[in-house]
Amino acid sequence: KLELLRYQLNPHFLFNSLNAASNLALRGDGEQTSDLLAKLSRFLRFSLDNSPNEKSTLQNDLMVMQEYLEIEAIRFGQRLRVDWHIEAETQNILVPSFLVQPLIENVIKHALVSSKETTVLTIQSMIRGSYLLLTVKDNGPLRSLEPLNSGQGIGIKNIKKRLGLFYDKNYELNMKINEPHGLIVEIKLPLG
């Protein structure tokens, strides 16, 4: 099941990244084309080397997400701003590989692509008691959870399935609107 979920994560990202590299090359920007392709290569290498059946440290997972977001920043420029708030003591905690990627993909797909405004994506990690709390929030156009609750949230469904396979029922995934608009997703995982 985890292997099948893995292959649902990346096709649009890969297609869009290769198109962006092609456009950069056509404009004659060899340095940025090379940079984008190197980042894409590292991201894909991590994807191939890390099985969804295993966990990686939060630090490794977020480093790959940083590469991913740097690729998207090449595509979108100043329209994407990422704020990282990662507590140092959370970095060595083991989490399922690519845990927050579907959430980031949703922000790119539903907030950044559909808006001309700057999208602010905030990624946070902290320890609360005996749990790791991961938060991903954006200022996108979403004003209601209805689209996510009506079956359109494939990324959220994939995360819930993966968390269920790793943690049974010993986790929480909560969503709310980031007033006045946007989405906040909180994932609470046991430390042990």
Side-chain angles (χ1 to χ4, degrees), residues 164-185:
L165 290 168
F166 275 101
Y167 300 102
D168 193 29
K169 293 181 168 64
N170 192 20
Y171 75 91
E172 290 181 28
L173 189 148
N174 299 303
M175 298 180 295
K176 59 186 174 186
I177 295 300
N178 186 15
E179 297 296 339
H181 52 81
L183 181 65
I184 300 173
V185 179

mmCIF file with all atom_site columns, all heavy atoms in Angstrom, residues 164-185:
data_model
loop_
_atom_site.group_PDB
_atom_site.id
_atom_site.type_symbol
_atom_site.label_atom_id
_atom_site.label_alt_id
_atom_site.label_comp_id
_atom_site.label_asym_id
_atom_site.label_entity_id
_atom_site.label_seq_id
_atom_site.pdbx_PDB_ins_code
_atom_site.Cartn_x
_atom_site.Cartn_y
_atom_site.Cartn_z
_atom_site.occupancy
_atom_site.B_iso_or_equiv
_atom_site.pdbx_formal_charge
_atom_site.auth_seq_id
_atom_site.auth_comp_id
_atom_site.auth_asym_id
_atom_site.auth_atom_id
_atom_site.pdbx_PDB_model_num
ATOM 1   N N   . GLY A 1 164 ? -1.886  6.088  9.175  1.00 0.00 ? 164 GLY A N   1
ATOM 2   C CA  . GLY A 1 164 ? -2.586  4.928  9.722  1.00 0.00 ? 164 GLY A CA  1
ATOM 3   C C   . GLY A 1 164 ? -1.737  3.669  9.623  1.00 0.00 ? 164 GLY A C   1
ATOM 4   O O   . GLY A 1 164 ? -1.716  2.844  10.547 1.00 0.00 ? 164 GLY A O   1
ATOM 5   N N   . LEU A 1 165 ? -1.013  3.501  8.516  1.00 0.00 ? 165 LEU A N   1
ATOM 6   C CA  . LEU A 1 165 ? -0.161  2.327  8.348  1.00 0.00 ? 165 LEU A CA  1
ATOM 7   C C   . LEU A 1 165 ? 1.050   2.362  9.284  1.00 0.00 ? 165 LEU A C   1
ATOM 8   O O   . LEU A 1 165 ? 1.494   1.325  9.768  1.00 0.00 ? 165 LEU A O   1
ATOM 9   C CB  . LEU A 1 165 ? 0.291   2.216  6.890  1.00 0.00 ? 165 LEU A CB  1
ATOM 10  C CG  . LEU A 1 165 ? -0.811  1.848  5.896  1.00 0.00 ? 165 LEU A CG  1
ATOM 11  C CD1 . LEU A 1 165 ? -0.335  2.050  4.463  1.00 0.00 ? 165 LEU A CD1 1
ATOM 12  C CD2 . LEU A 1 165 ? -1.281  0.417  6.109  1.00 0.00 ? 165 LEU A CD2 1
ATOM 13  N N   . PHE A 1 166 ? 1.572   3.552  9.562  1.00 0.00 ? 166 PHE A N   1
ATOM 14  C CA  . PHE A 1 166 ? 2.727   3.668  10.449 1.00 0.00 ? 166 PHE A CA  1
ATOM 15  C C   . PHE A 1 166 ? 2.346   3.692  11.922 1.00 0.00 ? 166 PHE A C   1
ATOM 16  O O   . PHE A 1 166 ? 3.038   3.121  12.754 1.00 0.00 ? 166 PHE A O   1
ATOM 17  C CB  . PHE A 1 166 ? 3.517   4.952  10.145 1.00 0.00 ? 166 PHE A CB  1
ATOM 18  C CG  . PHE A 1 166 ? 4.523   4.799  9.042  1.00 0.00 ? 166 PHE A CG  1
ATOM 19  C CD1 . PHE A 1 166 ? 4.238   5.256  7.768  1.00 0.00 ? 166 PHE A CD1 1
ATOM 20  C CD2 . PHE A 1 166 ? 5.748   4.212  9.275  1.00 0.00 ? 166 PHE A CD2 1
ATOM 21  C CE1 . PHE A 1 166 ? 5.159   5.129  6.745  1.00 0.00 ? 166 PHE A CE1 1
ATOM 22  C CE2 . PHE A 1 166 ? 6.685   4.075  8.262  1.00 0.00 ? 166 PHE A CE2 1
ATOM 23  C CZ  . PHE A 1 166 ? 6.385   4.539  6.985  1.00 0.00 ? 166 PHE A CZ  1
ATOM 24  N N   . TYR A 1 167 ? 1.259   4.388  12.262 1.00 0.00 ? 167 TYR A N   1
ATOM 25  C CA  . TYR A 1 167 ? 0.968   4.668  13.673 1.00 0.00 ? 167 TYR A CA  1
ATOM 26  C C   . TYR A 1 167 ? -0.372  4.107  14.142 1.00 0.00 ? 167 TYR A C   1
ATOM 27  O O   . TYR A 1 167 ? -0.785  4.395  15.266 1.00 0.00 ? 167 TYR A O   1
ATOM 28  C CB  . TYR A 1 167 ? 0.967   6.190  13.915 1.00 0.00 ? 167 TYR A CB  1
ATOM 29  C CG  . TYR A 1 167 ? 2.280   6.842  13.589 1.00 0.00 ? 167 TYR A CG  1
ATOM 30  C CD1 . TYR A 1 167 ? 2.462   7.545  12.405 1.00 0.00 ? 167 TYR A CD1 1
ATOM 31  C CD2 . TYR A 1 167 ? 3.363   6.746  14.462 1.00 0.00 ? 167 TYR A CD2 1
ATOM 32  C CE1 . TYR A 1 167 ? 3.672   8.148  12.097 1.00 0.00 ? 167 TYR A CE1 1
ATOM 33  C CE2 . TYR A 1 167 ? 4.577   7.344  14.168 1.00 0.00 ? 167 TYR A CE2 1
ATOM 34  C CZ  . TYR A 1 167 ? 4.723   8.042  12.978 1.00 0.00 ? 167 TYR A CZ  1
ATOM 35  O OH  . TYR A 1 167 ? 5.925   8.636  12.672 1.00 0.00 ? 167 TYR A OH  1
ATOM 36  N N   . ASP A 1 168 ? -1.052  3.331  13.303 1.00 0.00 ? 168 ASP A N   1
ATOM 37  C CA  . ASP A 1 168 ? -2.381  2.826  13.601 1.00 0.00 ? 168 ASP A CA  1
ATOM 38  C C   . ASP A 1 168 ? -3.289  4.028  13.903 1.00 0.00 ? 168 ASP A C   1
ATOM 39  O O   . ASP A 1 168 ? -3.472  4.868  13.046 1.00 0.00 ? 168 ASP A O   1
ATOM 40  C CB  . ASP A 1 168 ? -2.335  1.808  14.731 1.00 0.00 ? 168 ASP A CB  1
ATOM 41  C CG  . ASP A 1 168 ? -3.640  1.031  14.869 1.00 0.00 ? 168 ASP A CG  1
ATOM 42  O OD1 . ASP A 1 168 ? -4.340  0.858  13.848 1.00 0.00 ? 168 ASP A OD1 1
ATOM 43  O OD2 . ASP A 1 168 ? -3.947  0.588  15.984 1.00 0.00 ? 168 ASP A OD2 1
ATOM 44  N N   . LYS A 1 169 ? -3.783  4.139  15.109 1.00 0.00 ? 169 LYS A N   1
ATOM 45  C CA  . LYS A 1 169 ? -4.659  5.277  15.450 1.00 0.00 ? 169 LYS A CA  1
ATOM 46  C C   . LYS A 1 169 ? -3.961  6.264  16.392 1.00 0.00 ? 169 LYS A C   1
ATOM 47  O O   . LYS A 1 169 ? -4.590  7.187  16.891 1.00 0.00 ? 169 LYS A O   1
ATOM 48  C CB  . LYS A 1 169 ? -5.946  4.766  16.084 1.00 0.00 ? 169 LYS A CB  1
ATOM 49  C CG  . LYS A 1 169 ? -6.819  3.987  15.135 1.00 0.00 ? 169 LYS A CG  1
ATOM 50  C CD  . LYS A 1 169 ? -8.091  3.545  15.826 1.00 0.00 ? 169 LYS A CD  1
ATOM 51  C CE  . LYS A 1 169 ? -9.125  3.030  14.912 1.00 0.00 ? 169 LYS A CE  1
ATOM 52  N NZ  . LYS A 1 169 ? -9.004  1.913  14.152 1.00 0.00 ? 169 LYS A NZ  1
ATOM 53  N N   . ASN A 1 170 ? -2.671  6.070  16.601 1.00 0.00 ? 170 ASN A N   1
ATOM 54  C CA  . ASN A 1 170 ? -1.932  6.895  17.557 1.00 0.00 ? 170 ASN A CA  1
ATOM 55  C C   . ASN A 1 170 ? -1.309  8.119  16.882 1.00 0.00 ? 170 ASN A C   1
ATOM 56  O O   . ASN A 1 170 ? -0.098  8.325  16.919 1.00 0.00 ? 170 ASN A O   1
ATOM 57  C CB  . ASN A 1 170 ? -0.853  6.052  18.250 1.00 0.00 ? 170 ASN A CB  1
ATOM 58  C CG  . ASN A 1 170 ? -0.265  6.759  19.445 1.00 0.00 ? 170 ASN A CG  1
ATOM 59  O OD1 . ASN A 1 170 ? -0.852  7.679  19.995 1.00 0.00 ? 170 ASN A OD1 1
ATOM 60  N ND2 . ASN A 1 170 ? 0.924   6.343  19.829 1.00 0.00 ? 170 ASN A ND2 1
ATOM 61  N N   . TYR A 1 171 ? -2.138  8.906  16.218 1.00 0.00 ? 171 TYR A N   1
ATOM 62  C CA  . TYR A 1 171 ? -1.709  10.152 15.594 1.00 0.00 ? 171 TYR A CA  1
ATOM 63  C C   . TYR A 1 171 ? -2.941  11.042 15.457 1.00 0.00 ? 171 TYR A C   1
ATOM 64  O O   . TYR A 1 171 ? -4.069  10.589 15.615 1.00 0.00 ? 171 TYR A O   1
ATOM 65  C CB  . TYR A 1 171 ? -1.079  9.903  14.211 1.00 0.00 ? 171 TYR A CB  1
ATOM 66  C CG  . TYR A 1 171 ? -2.102  9.575  13.138 1.00 0.00 ? 171 TYR A CG  1
ATOM 67  C CD1 . TYR A 1 171 ? -2.674  10.583 12.362 1.00 0.00 ? 171 TYR A CD1 1
ATOM 68  C CD2 . TYR A 1 171 ? -2.532  8.272  12.930 1.00 0.00 ? 171 TYR A CD2 1
ATOM 69  C CE1 . TYR A 1 171 ? -3.633  10.289 11.405 1.00 0.00 ? 171 TYR A CE1 1
ATOM 70  C CE2 . TYR A 1 171 ? -3.481  7.969  11.976 1.00 0.00 ? 171 TYR A CE2 1
ATOM 71  C CZ  . TYR A 1 171 ? -4.031  8.981  11.213 1.00 0.00 ? 171 TYR A CZ  1
ATOM 72  O OH  . TYR A 1 171 ? -4.984  8.694  10.280 1.00 0.00 ? 171 TYR A OH  1
ATOM 73  N N   . GLU A 1 172 ? -2.696  12.302 15.150 1.00 0.00 ? 172 GLU A N   1
ATOM 74  C CA  . GLU A 1 172 ? -3.791  13.225 14.849 1.00 0.00 ? 172 GLU A CA  1
ATOM 75  C C   . GLU A 1 172 ? -3.438  14.015 13.601 1.00 0.00 ? 172 GLU A C   1
ATOM 76  O O   . GLU A 1 172 ? -2.272  14.361 13.390 1.00 0.00 ? 172 GLU A O   1
ATOM 77  C CB  . GLU A 1 172 ? -4.020  14.217 15.998 1.00 0.00 ? 172 GLU A CB  1
ATOM 78  C CG  . GLU A 1 172 ? -4.602  13.608 17.246 1.00 0.00 ? 172 GLU A CG  1
ATOM 79  C CD  . GLU A 1 172 ? -4.831  14.658 18.330 1.00 0.00 ? 172 GLU A CD  1
ATOM 80  O OE1 . GLU A 1 172 ? -5.060  15.848 17.993 1.00 0.00 ? 172 GLU A OE1 1
ATOM 81  O OE2 . GLU A 1 172 ? -4.742  14.287 19.509 1.00 0.00 ? 172 GLU A OE2 1
ATOM 82  N N   . LEU A 1 173 ? -4.432  14.287 12.779 1.00 0.00 ? 173 LEU A N   1
ATOM 83  C CA  . LEU A 1 173 ? -4.284  15.185 11.642 1.00 0.00 ? 173 LEU A CA  1
ATOM 84  C C   . LEU A 1 173 ? -5.492  16.110 11.681 1.00 0.00 ? 173 LEU A C   1
ATOM 85  O O   . LEU A 1 173 ? -6.629  15.652 11.572 1.00 0.00 ? 173 LEU A O   1
ATOM 86  C CB  . LEU A 1 173 ? -4.236  14.420 10.315 1.00 0.00 ? 173 LEU A CB  1
ATOM 87  C CG  . LEU A 1 173 ? -3.870  15.295 9.107  1.00 0.00 ? 173 LEU A CG  1
ATOM 88  C CD1 . LEU A 1 173 ? -3.106  14.464 8.086  1.00 0.00 ? 173 LEU A CD1 1
ATOM 89  C CD2 . LEU A 1 173 ? -5.082  15.908 8.461  1.00 0.00 ? 173 LEU A CD2 1
ATOM 90  N N   . ASN A 1 174 ? -5.230  17.381 11.903 1.00 0.00 ? 174 ASN A N   1
ATOM 91  C CA  . ASN A 1 174 ? -6.307  18.365 12.028 1.00 0.00 ? 174 ASN A CA  1
ATOM 92  C C   . ASN A 1 174 ? -6.123  19.472 11.004 1.00 0.00 ? 174 ASN A C   1
ATOM 93  O O   . ASN A 1 174 ? -4.992  19.879 10.705 1.00 0.00 ? 174 ASN A O   1
ATOM 94  C CB  . ASN A 1 174 ? -6.309  18.973 13.434 1.00 0.00 ? 174 ASN A CB  1
ATOM 95  C CG  . ASN A 1 174 ? -6.538  17.911 14.492 1.00 0.00 ? 174 ASN A CG  1
ATOM 96  O OD1 . ASN A 1 174 ? -7.534  17.209 14.459 1.00 0.00 ? 174 ASN A OD1 1
ATOM 97  N ND2 . ASN A 1 174 ? -5.600  17.779 15.406 1.00 0.00 ? 174 ASN A ND2 1
ATOM 98  N N   . MET A 1 175 ? -7.240  19.946 10.474 1.00 0.00 ? 175 MET A N   1
ATOM 99  C CA  . MET A 1 175 ? -7.224  21.035 9.499  1.00 0.00 ? 175 MET A CA  1
ATOM 100 C C   . MET A 1 175 ? -8.160  22.136 9.957  1.00 0.00 ? 175 MET A C   1
ATOM 101 O O   . MET A 1 175 ? -9.203  21.868 10.540 1.00 0.00 ? 175 MET A O   1
ATOM 102 C CB  . MET A 1 175 ? -7.695  20.529 8.127  1.00 0.00 ? 175 MET A CB  1
ATOM 103 C CG  . MET A 1 175 ? -6.833  19.464 7.526  1.00 0.00 ? 175 MET A CG  1
ATOM 104 S SD  . MET A 1 175 ? -7.449  18.919 5.911  1.00 0.00 ? 175 MET A SD  1
ATOM 105 C CE  . MET A 1 175 ? -9.010  18.170 6.347  1.00 0.00 ? 175 MET A CE  1
ATOM 106 N N   . LYS A 1 176 ? -7.756  23.362 9.670  1.00 0.00 ? 176 LYS A N   1
ATOM 107 C CA  . LYS A 1 176 ? -8.628  24.512 9.916  1.00 0.00 ? 176 LYS A CA  1
ATOM 108 C C   . LYS A 1 176 ? -8.237  25.617 8.955  1.00 0.00 ? 176 LYS A C   1
ATOM 109 O O   . LYS A 1 176 ? -7.162  25.604 8.353  1.00 0.00 ? 176 LYS A O   1
ATOM 110 C CB  . LYS A 1 176 ? -8.549  24.970 11.369 1.00 0.00 ? 176 LYS A CB  1
ATOM 111 C CG  . LYS A 1 176 ? -7.162  25.384 11.822 1.00 0.00 ? 176 LYS A CG  1
ATOM 112 C CD  . LYS A 1 176 ? -7.156  25.685 13.312 1.00 0.00 ? 176 LYS A CD  1
ATOM 113 C CE  . LYS A 1 176 ? -5.736  25.962 13.779 1.00 0.00 ? 176 LYS A CE  1
ATOM 114 N NZ  . LYS A 1 176 ? -5.648  26.131 15.220 1.00 0.00 ? 176 LYS A NZ  1
ATOM 115 N N   . ILE A 1 177 ? -9.122  26.579 8.821  1.00 0.00 ? 177 ILE A N   1
ATOM 116 C CA  . ILE A 1 177 ? -8.865  27.722 7.946  1.00 0.00 ? 177 ILE A CA  1
ATOM 117 C C   . ILE A 1 177 ? -7.903  28.674 8.644  1.00 0.00 ? 177 ILE A C   1
ATOM 118 O O   . ILE A 1 177 ? -8.032  28.950 9.834  1.00 0.00 ? 177 ILE A O   1
ATOM 119 C CB  . ILE A 1 177 ? -10.187 28.432 7.570  1.00 0.00 ? 177 ILE A CB  1
ATOM 120 C CG1 . ILE A 1 177 ? -11.068 27.493 6.742  1.00 0.00 ? 177 ILE A CG1 1
ATOM 121 C CG2 . ILE A 1 177 ? -9.922  29.732 6.813  1.00 0.00 ? 177 ILE A CG2 1
ATOM 122 C CD1 . ILE A 1 177 ? -10.437 27.033 5.430  1.00 0.00 ? 177 ILE A CD1 1
ATOM 123 N N   . ASN A 1 178 ? -6.935  29.171 7.906  1.00 0.00 ? 178 ASN A N   1
ATOM 124 C CA  . ASN A 1 178 ? -5.977  30.162 8.386  1.00 0.00 ? 178 ASN A CA  1
ATOM 125 C C   . ASN A 1 178 ? -6.617  31.529 8.151  1.00 0.00 ? 178 ASN A C   1
ATOM 126 O O   . ASN A 1 178 ? -6.454  32.124 7.099  1.00 0.00 ? 178 ASN A O   1
ATOM 127 C CB  . ASN A 1 178 ? -4.662  30.019 7.610  1.00 0.00 ? 178 ASN A CB  1
ATOM 128 C CG  . ASN A 1 178 ? -3.570  30.905 8.139  1.00 0.00 ? 178 ASN A CG  1
ATOM 129 O OD1 . ASN A 1 178 ? -3.662  31.439 9.239  1.00 0.00 ? 178 ASN A OD1 1
ATOM 130 N ND2 . ASN A 1 178 ? -2.516  31.061 7.358  1.00 0.00 ? 178 ASN A ND2 1
ATOM 131 N N   . GLU A 1 179 ? -7.380  31.985 9.116  1.00 0.00 ? 179 GLU A N   1
ATOM 132 C CA  . GLU A 1 179 ? -8.196  33.194 8.950  1.00 0.00 ? 179 GLU A CA  1
ATOM 133 C C   . GLU A 1 179 ? -7.369  34.377 8.452  1.00 0.00 ? 179 GLU A C   1
ATOM 134 O O   . GLU A 1 179 ? -6.269  34.592 8.944  1.00 0.00 ? 179 GLU A O   1
ATOM 135 C CB  . GLU A 1 179 ? -8.879  33.560 10.269 1.00 0.00 ? 179 GLU A CB  1
ATOM 136 C CG  . GLU A 1 179 ? -9.857  32.512 10.756 1.00 0.00 ? 179 GLU A CG  1
ATOM 137 C CD  . GLU A 1 179 ? -11.052 32.311 9.833  1.00 0.00 ? 179 GLU A CD  1
ATOM 138 O OE1 . GLU A 1 179 ? -11.368 33.210 9.023  1.00 0.00 ? 179 GLU A OE1 1
ATOM 139 O OE2 . GLU A 1 179 ? -11.680 31.256 9.908  1.00 0.00 ? 179 GLU A OE2 1
ATOM 140 N N   . PRO A 1 180 ? -7.875  35.115 7.468  1.00 0.00 ? 180 PRO A N   1
ATOM 141 C CA  . PRO A 1 180 ? -9.189  35.012 6.838  1.00 0.00 ? 180 PRO A CA  1
ATOM 142 C C   . PRO A 1 180 ? -9.256  33.968 5.722  1.00 0.00 ? 180 PRO A C   1
ATOM 143 O O   . PRO A 1 180 ? -10.334 33.588 5.311  1.00 0.00 ? 180 PRO A O   1
ATOM 144 C CB  . PRO A 1 180 ? -9.422  36.412 6.265  1.00 0.00 ? 180 PRO A CB  1
ATOM 145 C CG  . PRO A 1 180 ? -8.043  36.902 5.931  1.00 0.00 ? 180 PRO A CG  1
ATOM 146 C CD  . PRO A 1 180 ? -7.141  36.304 6.980  1.00 0.00 ? 180 PRO A CD  1
ATOM 147 N N   . HIS A 1 181 ? -8.097  33.502 5.226  1.00 0.00 ? 181 HIS A N   1
ATOM 148 C CA  . HIS A 1 181 ? -8.127  32.481 4.180  1.00 0.00 ? 181 HIS A CA  1
ATOM 149 C C   . HIS A 1 181 ? -6.809  31.747 4.163  1.00 0.00 ? 181 HIS A C   1
ATOM 150 O O   . HIS A 1 181 ? -5.777  32.233 4.621  1.00 0.00 ? 181 HIS A O   1
ATOM 151 C CB  . HIS A 1 181 ? -8.440  33.093 2.810  1.00 0.00 ? 181 HIS A CB  1
ATOM 152 C CG  . HIS A 1 181 ? -7.562  34.245 2.448  1.00 0.00 ? 181 HIS A CG  1
ATOM 153 N ND1 . HIS A 1 181 ? -6.296  34.083 1.938  1.00 0.00 ? 181 HIS A ND1 1
ATOM 154 C CD2 . HIS A 1 181 ? -7.748  35.588 2.569  1.00 0.00 ? 181 HIS A CD2 1
ATOM 155 C CE1 . HIS A 1 181 ? -5.745  35.274 1.737  1.00 0.00 ? 181 HIS A CE1 1
ATOM 156 N NE2 . HIS A 1 181 ? -6.601  36.214 2.112  1.00 0.00 ? 181 HIS A NE2 1
ATOM 157 N N   . GLY A 1 182 ? -6.839  30.558 3.609  1.00 0.00 ? 182 GLY A N   1
ATOM 158 C CA  . GLY A 1 182 ? -5.678  29.677 3.599  1.00 0.00 ? 182 GLY A CA  1
ATOM 159 C C   . GLY A 1 182 ? -5.971  28.464 4.466  1.00 0.00 ? 182 GLY A C   1
ATOM 160 O O   . GLY A 1 182 ? -7.062  28.327 5.025  1.00 0.00 ? 182 GLY A O   1
ATOM 161 N N   . LEU A 1 183 ? -5.009  27.592 4.579  1.00 0.00 ? 183 LEU A N   1
ATOM 162 C CA  . LEU A 1 183 ? -5.206  26.336 5.293  1.00 0.00 ? 183 LEU A CA  1
ATOM 163 C C   . LEU A 1 183 ? -4.103  26.124 6.309  1.00 0.00 ? 183 LEU A C   1
ATOM 164 O O   . LEU A 1 183 ? -2.938  26.450 6.061  1.00 0.00 ? 183 LEU A O   1
ATOM 165 C CB  . LEU A 1 183 ? -5.211  25.172 4.286  1.00 0.00 ? 183 LEU A CB  1
ATOM 166 C CG  . LEU A 1 183 ? -5.435  23.769 4.839  1.00 0.00 ? 183 LEU A CG  1
ATOM 167 C CD1 . LEU A 1 183 ? -6.828  23.636 5.439  1.00 0.00 ? 183 LEU A CD1 1
ATOM 168 C CD2 . LEU A 1 183 ? -5.220  22.720 3.747  1.00 0.00 ? 183 LEU A CD2 1
ATOM 169 N N   . ILE A 1 184 ? -4.479  25.570 7.450  1.00 0.00 ? 184 ILE A N   1
ATOM 170 C CA  . ILE A 1 184 ? -3.532  25.116 8.468  1.00 0.00 ? 184 ILE A CA  1
ATOM 171 C C   . ILE A 1 184 ? -3.752  23.619 8.634  1.00 0.00 ? 184 ILE A C   1
ATOM 172 O O   . ILE A 1 184 ? -4.874  23.186 8.897  1.00 0.00 ? 184 ILE A O   1
ATOM 173 C CB  . ILE A 1 184 ? -3.731  25.822 9.826  1.00 0.00 ? 184 ILE A CB  1
ATOM 174 C CG1 . ILE A 1 184 ? -3.555  27.330 9.675  1.00 0.00 ? 184 ILE A CG1 1
ATOM 175 C CG2 . ILE A 1 184 ? -2.777  25.251 10.871 1.00 0.00 ? 184 ILE A CG2 1
ATOM 176 C CD1 . ILE A 1 184 ? -3.895  28.118 10.936 1.00 0.00 ? 184 ILE A CD1 1
ATOM 177 N N   . VAL A 1 185 ? -2.683  22.845 8.494  1.00 0.00 ? 185 VAL A N   1
ATOM 178 C CA  . VAL A 1 185 ? -2.742  21.406 8.735  1.00 0.00 ? 185 VAL A CA  1
ATOM 179 C C   . VAL A 1 185 ? -1.764  21.094 9.862  1.00 0.00 ? 185 VAL A C   1
ATOM 180 O O   . VAL A 1 185 ? -0.586  21.484 9.786  1.00 0.00 ? 185 VAL A O   1
ATOM 181 C CB  . VAL A 1 185 ? -2.392  20.574 7.490  1.00 0.00 ? 185 VAL A CB  1
ATOM 182 C CG1 . VAL A 1 185 ? -2.436  19.086 7.809  1.00 0.00 ? 185 VAL A CG1 1
ATOM 183 C CG2 . VAL A 1 185 ? -3.332  20.904 6.333  1.00 0.00 ? 185 VAL A CG2 1
#
